[in-house]
Amino acid sequence: MEELRFKGQTALVTGGARGIGLAIGMRLAREGAETFLADIDGEELDRVTSLPECPGNIVPATLSITDMGACRDLVAEIAGSRSRLDILVNNAAILDICPYEDLTLERFRAVTRVNLDGALACTLAAVPLMETTGGRILMTASIMGQFGSPDSLPYSSAKGGIVNMVRALACDLAPRGITVNGIAPGFIDTRMARLADGSHEHETEYFRTVYLKYRKIPLGRPGTPKDIAGAACFLVSPDAAYVTGQILAVDGGVTATF
C-alpha cells in the first residue's frame, strides 16, 4: 500500500492524458491527492480516466494551456470544488524535430507557445489560489534544454527557457510560500520517442549500440514514465520543503557522461 503523503491536497497536472503526465497524476492520486488531470486531448483523457485501474480521486479536465482564459477557468473550478491548490505540474509539451534548413519563425513560435508560454499561463492562473496555503510547482524540462543537439532548436530553446523559468520563479514565489523545481527527463519511453517514420528511437541500431551496449546511459536502459513520476513526487512532497530553484536530471546518468 502506497503512503498517503498527499492526503487532503489538491493537484493539477497538465499533459496528463498519457506518458509522463499520466504517470505523475496517477502517482499523486494513489498517494492521496485529489488530482485534476488536464490535457488538450479530451477523448484520450476520458478513455484513460475511465479505466478500472484509474483512482477515483482523479478528475479529467480538457484544457488548452495556450488559452489563458481557459487556464483561469479551470483554476476557478478547482477553487470552487476544493478551495485550494497545493501542487501544479506543468508537464504539457509538444515536440518538433526540425532540421535547420526547414526552420521557420512560425515553427519555432508554435513550439515555444505551447512548451514555454503554456507553462507560464498555467502558473499565472494558479498562483493566486496556491499562495493561500503555499504549494509546490514542478516543471517538466528536458536534458535537451541543458545541452545542444541537432534538429532540436525550437524544442531545446523552449526547454532551456523552462530551466531558467524555474530559477526565476523560485526567487519570485518563495515569499509567497511556493517552491518551484524542475525535472529534466532523458530518454524516456513515451510517444515522443517515436521518430517521424513511425519507428521507435530506442529500437534503432545507433541507440542500442551507443546508449545501451556502450553505456552512454550508465544504467543501461531507457527510462519509463514511472521513473519520472517517482522523482516528481519527491519534489512536490514535504520532503522537498527546502528545495527550490533546482533542476533534477532523471536520465539514467546520461548527463554524467561526455
Side-chain angles (χ1 to χ4, degrees):
M1 183 176 179
E2 289 175 296
E3 180 186 358
L4 296 179
R5 56 180 166 172
F6 301 114
K7 186 176 182 180
Q9 295 190 28
T10 304
L12 169 59
V13 181
T14 69
R18 53 176 61 83
I20 289 171
L22 179 59
I24 293 173
M26 295 281 274
R27 179 74 178 264
L28 287 168
R30 286 173 178 150
E31 293 197 34
E34 184 82 7
T35 303
F36 287 76
L37 210 56
D39 201 285
I40 196 171
D41 189 345
E43 185 175 327
E44 180 65 11
L45 194 60
D46 289 341
R47 187 190 73 79
V48 297
T49 55
S50 65
L51 294 173
E53 60 267 28
C54 183
N57 53 336
I58 281 184
V59 181
T62 303
L63 174 70
S64 170
I65 61 170
T66 61
D67 184 339
M68 187 75 228
C71 294
R72 287 184 174 133
D73 288 345
L74 178 55
V75 172
E77 178 185 336
I78 294 170
S81 63
R82 295 286 298 172
S83 303
R84 62 186 297 155
L85 179 58
D86 304 276
I87 298 166
L88 170 64
V89 180
N90 283 315
N91 170 74
I94 60 173
L95 177 66
D96 183 8
I97 300 301
C98 183
Y100 179 78
E101 55 269 22
D102 297 330
L103 182 64
T104 64
L105 190 58
E106 289 70 26
R107 284 186 73 165
F108 182 87
R109 285 175 172 167
V111 174
T112 57
R113 182 168 180 259
V114 174
N115 296 8
L116 191 58
D117 296 1
L120 181 59
C122 289
T123 300
L124 291 172
V127 163
L129 180 57
M130 295 187 77
E131 67 182 349
T132 61
T133 56
R136 312 274 183 261
I137 295 175
L138 181 72
M139 306 279 195
T140 301
S142 170
I143 61 171
M144 291 176 68
Q146 298 172 298
F147 300 92
S149 60
D151 303 336
S152 69
L153 187 59
Y155 184 81
S156 292
S157 297
K159 290 301 186 179
I162 289 290
V163 167
N164 264 344
M165 184 182 288
V166 164
R167 294 168 179 153
L169 278 172
C171 297
D172 286 339
L173 298 183
R176 301 168 189 250
I178 299 171
T179 65
V180 187
N181 291 290
I183 45 172
F187 293 96
I188 309 299
D189 188 7
T190 68
R191 186 173 61 166
M192 284 190 179
R194 290 284 173 185
L195 302 176
D197 62 3
S199 63
H200 199 298
E201 179 184 24
H202 302 168
E203 297 300 322
T204 63
E205 186 63 26
Y206 180 85
F207 186 89
R208 295 182 67 83
T209 300
V210 174
Y211 286 96
L212 303 186
K213 181 179 179 181
Y214 293 112
R215 298 277 178 163
K216 175 68 174 172
I217 300 176
L219 289 183
R221 67 171 178 86
T224 69
K226 287 185 178 180
D227 290 321
I228 305 300
C233 287
F234 161 69
L235 287 172
V236 298
S237 76
D239 288 337
Y242 199 59
V243 180
T244 196
Q246 303 304 307
I247 305 294
L248 175 61
V250 188
D251 64 355
V254 68
T255 52
T257 65
F258 61 91

